[in-house]
Amino acid sequence: MLAADDVIPLEPADWSDAIALTDGPQSVIAGPGTGKTEFLARRCAHLVNVLGVAPSEVVALTFSRRAAQRLRRRVAVHAPGRVVPASTFHSLAYRLLEAYGPAHLAWERMPTLLTSVEHVGLVRDLLAGETASDWAPHLRDMLGSQTLAREVSDFLMRSQEYMIDEDALRDRAAARGDWRGLAAFRRRYRDELERQGRIDYGTLQAEAVRLLALPGVAAALADQIRYVVIDEYQDTTPAQAAFVQALAAAGGNVVVAGDPNQSIYGFRGADPDNLVEFERDFSDLGPITRFALARSFRCPPEILQTAQRLAPHSIDTTPARHRGSVEAYVFSQQSEESEWIAAEVQRLILSESVPASSIAVLVRSKRRLLTELSRAMARRRIPHNMPDSRLVDHPGVRLVFDLVAAAVNDRAPAASGIGAETDQAIRRLLLGPLYSLPLGAERHALRRRRAEGAQWSALVEDVVPDGAGLAGILSDSRWATHMTAADGFWYLWTSLPRFAQLVERPDDGGVRRALASLSQALGRLAERDPQRSLFDYWALVDRDDFEADPLISLDEPEVERVTLTTLHQAKGLEFDTVFVADATEGVFPDLRRHRSLLQPHLLSHRPDLDHDVVQLHEELRLAYTALTRSSRRSVWTTTQAGIDQSDRRPSRFLPLLADGRDLGAPGQDPEAIPLTYLEAEAHLRRLATDASAAAANRLAAVDRLVARPNPGLRPVESFTGIRQRGPDTGVIGPDLRLSPSQAQSYADCPRRYVLERRLGVESDYGTYGTFGRLIHDVLERAERAALEKGRTRATAEEAIDVLDSLFHLYDLGTGQRRLAWRRRGIRLVEHLYSTWPTPEAVPVFLEHPLQLIIDGVEWIGRADRIEVERGIVRIVDYKTTTSVLGVADAAQSLQLGFYLLAARQDPQVVAAGDPREAQLWYPLAKGKSVATRALDVDALHDVEQRLRDIAAGIAAERWDPAIGPGCERCGVRLVCPSFPEGREAYLR
């Protein structure tokens, strides 16, 4: 390596002379905003304008398509009419293999390039056929799983990026038990690629390096390539560095530019040492010339000085002459954080006239705060790019795949897990823009579906205007499973004219753009794999990451809008003001990336490094990169721990940014003038309730709030939580339908029943109720899977796997509280399956709908489990509480009584045996075995009479309160007129 004295510092006035020095190997070390891309663009322009080099003889490479387009545009500014073909590494590697591969690598044709999704899918298919004993013990049960497929896919990619051949991989795997089987699998994987005529991105780069080493290709390129120009060289992998060396050997002239402190793609195999070791790698081309761009055009002193605290060994750079600021704020909750950012963005646009395109909001993880930030901006009508992370998640494309899912799974039982997912897909279709069905009509259809067990294809024609087309789509799924993906999409488009009507709307929400992108993606899929159906494609993209805009133009937007994206995607961009949101420990820095099962980072040439430290350094470089995206103002925000979030605290980076200043919420400017109607309304409401304000000012504020018409302020009736006045005609309609849970609610307290169940005064359902729903879902899915395998019940391990797969769908708090609920669920499952109350019984129905007619009133319910033992049918209801109902109360249970009465009238149940038993199971109750409570069959007549009396009371609207000890814990006491605090809600 050269000493610092060998580096030539360049002020802007020195650029012209340095740009003219075009021969030999050169490196340009450049700090943030110093213009390294501009320097390379001027070098390219000098080559073609002054030296007369043909543009085709200049190879310009950079890291991403967006960066390549930016470099081409910069060159075009200085060399109008001359197009230097700047591209990505993978794009050039593909073109070279396409041109020389068939002749020099014995290929019959250029292999088809796999997308990342297809790569994972192929690996998963191959892993499913592996012999378990060939793999490490802890991986054997995961063969064929999506998780291991992703891990192995990444490992294969990294081994190619690190230039690890099969012999070297075999030697390394011999020393590591957890890598057992990987070397042999890579060979089988490569054989399968060759058999299918395919190639992945890692193999593409490695094969290009091998190709360039062949004498015939090297000689051909020597006549074609004279100059090589590389931007963002610090982000190259070892394979890409070898690729550059091979390209540069043709003409001997190469210039690379980069900033080692902005190397942020280590998880993709990037090696920052490539830039540092440039002299070592290219010394055979001649003496190395090293430049350093000395002045930043973007970053003012305040930002550069803060950046140096994040990267103490950063390049010595003279800051820009304008002033700037670095701010850090801590909020009490995420909604407050996102609302403040959106309000501050709005203030910048309206008050300081900052263009929306000069503002960015960046996050470390797209799965956390991005959607909430987008909603906060949408509420203020701030134009911004929507944070759809995947094409499949776009609402327009979701319509297509909802139709695929519904058509393929429509025959699944309504009570099954797949049936529930189908219901969700149909609900989105009916309520969405394609049909815009009223909520009441959709719910009526859903009730029919569940009560009758009917397929949606038989229902939609009755509930959807011109629903014949949709019924046909759902009744015959061959368009989704047997046609090619492109043909299936075209069939769908022509069979449902509403699609065409949807994209013809002036404000289509980007549906036209998304469906056009999907159409292009399906067209390219047909070129790569014409056998794939639309269902196959959905299965691929739904289970893996997929870029939102893979084929949409990279042109700059026609309208001014705020950039809302991730820190990594903001690399290379520049803004006036940048907000770095959700700077929370555990999120940023994120030190979990390298903690994978297979640890592919150990494939690097320095596996002895402490990778916790390596990962932290990369996160510091990411913070450095994020900080230096702004030219004027960098604002960092985070959320402090709440009551149930004891593990949440501000990022360890914030004290470095604050430089001794206290971290707190931004102050309120009492003199700030409201900029929008909503801000004005909030200001007037605060003033009206401010006891310290002058009486005249408070009265004036009230006058403005109630004065009508006032189109800028909302009427009181529109506020969330304020209901419109209801009718005076009673609450019970002519068609009374009840359930056993309603009966028990009415029996406990008629007044609470009417308030909660009929008037919609919701009490706190609470996490206990949410936990109960989770457990019922887990047991139903686990037991159904066991039945499908021909077993009488599942195992605890299988049920726990289902619990873990569903746990993220239920709101059970955060942090330690959420973990405690998971432990509670595991304890319940283990206790239930280790001491199953009826080991000899055979289940016949799970979540089975039951119906009973008493005096013309329809009663409906759903039994958790119906089983048969020695010809006797038993109905089981799971309870997830720790308290057990008394024996006497259980013997006369309304719920169990209903189940048994209804079961005796259900032909399916009667066909399975004699319904004579009904039980409550309490897996969480203390004891060596699961506590159970049984119905007294002799009490059935009394239960039926009680159900009859309850139905009569509800029909007559008798809502007398049942005052008792339970009132102390009643969730609707605040609106119950039996208590002083509840009387205020009623007019006397």
Side-chain angles (χ1 to χ4, degrees):
M1 295 176 58
L2 293 178
D5 293 341
D6 297 318
V7 178
I8 303 172
L10 295 179
E11 290 288 340
D14 306 324
W15 276 29
S16 297
D17 293 338
I19 287 170
L21 298 175
T22 59
D23 294 339
Q26 302 175 7
S27 67
V28 180
I29 309 299
T34 53
K36 59 181 180 296
T37 304
E38 177 69 12
F39 184 92
L40 296 182
R42 293 189 187 183
R43 169 65 63 82
C44 292
H46 179 84
L47 290 172
V48 298
N49 283 343
V50 179
L51 301 185
V53 178
S56 60
E57 295 178 322
V58 180
V59 171
L61 295 176
T62 189
F63 194 72
S64 66
R65 290 185 300 155
R66 183 175 59 192
Q69 185 182 43
R70 188 165 58 246
L71 180 56
R72 286 195 297 270
R73 287 177 174 174
R74 294 270 185 96
V75 174
V77 170
H78 301 291
R82 313 298 294 275
V83 179
V84 172
S87 66
T88 64
F89 285 89
H90 289 108
S91 176
L92 179 60
Y94 187 90
R95 295 202 306 272
L96 290 174
L97 287 171
E98 189 176 37
Y100 296 103
H104 293 82
L105 298 177
W107 291 347
E108 294 182 4
R109 59 181 179 84
M110 177 66 191
T112 301
L113 184 60
L114 288 175
T115 65
S116 60
V117 177
E118 293 168 330
H119 180 207
V120 175
L122 177 59
V123 169
R124 181 178 183 177
D125 293 341
L126 291 176
L127 285 173
E130 286 287 285
T131 302
S133 60
D134 292 340
W135 291 78
H138 69 288
L139 301 178
R140 292 171 185 173
D141 291 340
M142 301 177 64
L143 293 175
S145 69
Q146 187 72 4
T147 299
L148 186 61
R150 288 197 186 104
E151 291 274 353
V152 173
S153 300
D154 185 54
F155 188 93
L156 295 177
M157 193 76 71
R158 297 291 80 80
S159 69
Q160 298 279 22
E161 298 286 5
Y162 289 128
M163 303 291 289
I164 308 293
D165 60 25
E166 290 180 5
D167 292 336
L169 181 58
R170 190 179 302 108
D171 293 341
R172 293 198 186 191
R176 293 187 58 87
D178 55 338
W179 286 2
R180 178 180 172 183
L182 280 169
F185 179 80
R186 187 171 112 162
R187 176 68 267 172
R188 287 191 288 275
Y189 168 74
R190 290 290 299 272
D191 290 344
E192 183 63 20
L193 285 182
E194 292 178 12
R195 188 187 70 79
Q196 295 187 15
R198 296 185 165 201
I199 192 170
D200 61 38
Y201 279 97
T203 308
L204 176 77
Q205 197 71 66
E207 288 293 288
V209 173
R210 184 164 73 94
L211 177 74
L212 295 181
L214 300 177
V217 177
L221 292 180
D223 295 331
Q224 300 178 38
I225 298 176
R226 295 177 59 188
Y227 294 91
V228 178
V229 178
I230 312 293
D231 197 7
E232 305 289 1
Y233 191 66
Q234 78 280 349
D235 289 326
T236 54
T237 67
Q240 289 170 336
F243 184 62
V244 174
Q245 293 172 43
L247 290 173
N253 304 311
V254 58
V255 56
V256 304
D259 179 358
N261 288 307
Q262 294 189 57
S263 179
I264 59 173
Y265 291 103
F267 63 93
R268 293 182 181 174
D271 187 349
D273 288 347
N274 288 341
L275 184 59
V276 178
E277 302 292 346
F278 178 80
E279 178 190 9
R280 177 201 64 190
D281 297 334
F282 291 85
S283 59
D284 57 338
L285 298 182
I288 306 293
T289 303
R290 302 185 70 189
F291 297 114
L293 303 185
R295 181 176 294 278
S296 177
F297 300 98
R298 178 199 309 152
C299 299
E302 295 81 1
I303 290 178
L304 272 186
Q305 290 166 9
T306 305
Q308 287 168 357
R309 289 196 292 273
L310 295 173
H313 302 294
S314 56
I315 301 165
D316 187 14
T317 304
T318 303
R321 292 185 174 88
H322 61 272
R323 308 300 297 177
S325 66
V326 178
E327 305 159 38
Y329 300 119
V330 180
F331 296 88
S332 60
Q333 54 188 355
Q334 285 191 332
S335 58
E336 181 187 9
E337 180 182 3
S338 58
E339 289 295 328
W340 181 85
I341 290 174
E344 185 66 5
V345 168
Q346 187 174 48
R347 189 191 66 79
L348 289 171
I349 295 172
L350 296 178
S351 181
E352 299 187 21
S353 300
V354 178
S357 59
S358 295
I359 303 173
V361 183
L362 312 180
V363 293
R364 179 65 177 85
S365 169
K366 61 186 176 184
R367 298 184 184 278
R368 284 174 52 89
L369 196 62
L370 207 57
T371 301
E372 190 167 348
L373 284 165
S374 177
R375 290 171 181 163
M377 291 192 185
R379 283 193 290 271
R380 291 169 173 80
R381 295 184 173 85
I382 300 173
H384 64 284
N385 61 304
M386 301 301 292
D388 292 323
S389 59
R390 305 186 304 165
L391 180 62
V392 72
D393 291 330
H394 190 284
V397 178
R398 185 77 256 175
L399 289 174
V400 175
F401 291 126
D402 279 341
L403 285 164
V404 171
V408 172
N409 299 322
D410 192 30
R411 290 177 175 80
S416 67
I418 294 178
E421 293 171 2
T422 304
D423 291 346
Q424 290 299 318
I426 289 289
R427 292 192 68 202
R428 288 192 293 266
L429 287 168
L430 298 182
L431 297 174
L434 202 61
Y435 289 100
S436 302
L437 204 67
L439 183 61
E442 179 273 327
R443 288 185 174 175
H444 175 69
L446 185 61
R447 285 193 294 269
R448 279 189 57 191
R449 148 88 162 165
R450 292 175 177 173
E452 302 170 11
Q455 296 177 11
W456 279 109
S457 56
L459 292 175
V460 293
E461 196 165 359
D462 295 337
V463 299
V464 177
D466 62 11
L470 179 58
I473 286 290
L474 297 179
S475 62
D476 185 355
S477 62
R478 286 178 296 178
W479 61 271
T481 57
H482 288 68
M483 295 183 182
T484 67
D487 289 343
F489 180 55
W490 178 246
Y491 177 85
L492 193 62
W493 185 275
T494 55
S495 300
L496 291 179
R498 285 176 176 263
F499 263 117
Q501 298 169 12
L502 182 63
V503 301
E504 288 171 0
R505 298 175 184 175
D507 182 16
D508 68 347
V511 173
R512 183 187 301 108
R513 187 167 178 257
L515 291 177
S517 185
L518 174 64
S519 177
Q520 294 177 57
L522 295 179
R524 293 197 177 182
L525 175 68
E527 297 172 2
R528 296 194 307 272
D529 191 351
Q531 302 306 315
R532 292 264 186 197
S533 67
L534 201 54
F535 176 74
D536 296 331
Y537 181 74
W538 169 60
L540 279 174
V541 300
D542 195 48
R543 71 188 185 194
D544 214 322
D545 290 338
F546 195 61
E547 291 299 325
D549 297 333
L551 300 169
I552 294 174
S553 171
L554 295 174
D555 290 342
E556 295 298 326
E558 297 179 358
V559 297
E560 285 280 335
R561 61 184 182 186
V562 174
T563 297
L564 186 58
T565 187
T566 63
L567 298 175
H568 282 93
Q569 291 172 339
K571 174 72 178 295
L573 302 181
E574 176 181 344
F575 304 93
D576 175 277
T577 302
V578 172
F579 296 85
V580 180
D582 198 22
T584 304
E585 190 68 17
V587 178
F588 190 28
D590 179 3
L591 303 180
R592 300 167 299 170
R593 276 192 182 275
H594 71 283
R595 294 172 187 167
S596 61
L597 287 171
L598 301 177
Q599 302 186 74
H601 60 273
L602 297 178
L603 291 167
S604 71
H605 65 285
R606 300 183 66 183
D608 55 319
L609 293 176
D610 184 335
H611 281 272
D612 281 323
V613 175
V614 170
Q615 184 65 23
L616 180 58
H617 284 174
E618 178 156 318
E619 292 291 298
L620 274 167
R621 294 195 295 270
L622 182 60
Y624 174 93
T625 304
L627 176 68
T628 55
R629 294 310 90 204
S630 55
S631 62
R632 186 175 69 92
R633 187 182 177 201
S634 182
V635 184
W636 293 58
T637 64
T638 186
T639 304
Q640 186 63 275
I643 296 175
D644 59 347
Q645 299 169 331
S646 59
D647 57 343
R648 175 174 292 180
R649 62 185 187 277
S651 167
R652 68 187 73 182
F653 296 156
L654 291 191
L656 294 174
L657 298 169
D659 192 25
R661 299 188 301 272
D662 291 337
L663 295 173
Q668 297 288 338
D669 182 3
E671 303 300 324
I673 299 175
L675 298 176
T676 66
Y677 281 120
L678 288 179
E679 288 183 2
E681 181 181 291
H683 173 74
L684 291 173
R685 292 188 181 282
R686 285 195 299 269
L687 179 57
T689 57
D690 184 2
S692 64
N697 291 339
R698 296 177 65 190
L699 287 172
V702 171
D703 178 69
R704 287 297 87 203
L705 286 168
V706 301
R708 294 291 180 269
N710 190 336
L713 302 183
R714 298 171 296 170
V716 173
E717 296 79 11
S718 69
F719 288 3
T720 300
I722 296 181
R723 298 177 179 269
Q724 295 182 352
R725 184 182 297 275
D728 249 354
T729 56
V731 296
I732 302 300
D735 298 324
L736 185 60
R737 174 186 285 186
L738 300 172
S739 67
S741 64
Q742 288 190 52
Q744 189 60 56
S745 177
Y746 184 87
D748 292 340
C749 178
R751 180 160 292 174
R752 181 174 182 178
Y753 165 79
V754 71
L755 288 172
E756 287 184 346
R757 297 296 188 99
R758 296 296 176 174
L759 296 179
V761 179
E762 297 181 2
S763 63
D764 182 14
Y765 189 66
T767 49
Y768 287 94
T770 303
F771 176 74
R773 293 206 318 271
L774 167 64
I775 294 302
H776 279 74
D777 197 1
V778 168
L779 295 179
E780 189 266 334
R781 296 195 185 205
E783 290 298 296
R784 192 172 299 282
L787 276 178
E788 292 172 354
K789 296 176 182 177
R791 302 189 345 239
T792 58
R793 65 176 181 274
T795 64
E797 292 75 15
E798 291 169 340
I800 290 172
D801 287 342
V802 176
L803 173 69
D804 287 338
S805 70
L806 298 177
F807 195 73
H808 70 285
L809 300 175
Y810 290 83
D811 183 10
L812 291 167
T814 60
Q816 293 300 319
R817 185 180 183 187
R818 186 172 181 82
L819 294 176
W821 280 110
R822 180 179 177 274
R823 291 193 296 270
R824 186 185 184 96
I826 292 174
R827 187 169 72 250
L828 181 151
V829 167
E830 290 177 340
H831 191 206
L832 174 62
Y833 282 96
S834 63
T835 59
W836 192 269
T838 56
E840 303 301 323
V842 177
V844 289
F845 299 107
L846 300 171
E847 292 294 326
H848 184 67
L850 292 171
Q851 185 182 31
L852 182 66
I853 304 296
I854 302 176
D855 292 344
V857 176
E858 181 184 10
W859 292 80
I860 58 172
R862 189 174 293 273
D864 293 341
R865 179 184 182 89
I866 300 179
E867 58 187 22
V868 177
E869 186 173 1
R870 294 186 295 275
I872 297 175
V873 172
R874 179 185 302 114
I875 294 93
V876 174
D877 188 71
Y878 308 122
K879 296 299 182 184
T880 57
T881 63
T882 56
S883 58
V884 180
L885 194 65
V887 174
D889 291 335
Q892 300 181 23
S893 167
L894 291 172
Q895 188 173 27
L896 293 181
F898 161 78
Y899 286 148
L900 203 53
L901 288 168
R904 290 180 173 183
Q905 296 186 18
D906 189 309
Q908 290 179 287
V909 178
V910 172
D914 181 14
R916 277 199 285 163
E917 295 183 10
Q919 293 182 354
L920 302 173
W921 290 6
Y922 293 87
L924 271 179
K926 292 182 179 180
K928 293 183 178 181
S929 59
V930 173
T932 63
R933 292 290 184 266
L935 175 75
D936 181 359
V937 180
D938 294 335
L940 272 181
H941 178 76
D942 293 338
V943 169
E944 184 174 2
Q945 184 59 46
R946 289 169 63 199
L947 292 176
R948 185 177 286 109
D949 294 342
I950 286 171
I954 292 175
E957 302 200 25
R958 293 195 291 266
W959 313 127
D960 298 326
I963 306 299
C967 294
E968 294 298 323
R969 299 181 300 276
C970 179
V972 296
R973 176 168 172 162
L974 288 176
V975 291
C976 177
S978 297
F979 295 90
E981 58 267 36
R983 295 185 190 122
E984 296 179 5
Y986 296 83
L987 296 175
R988 295 289 185 181

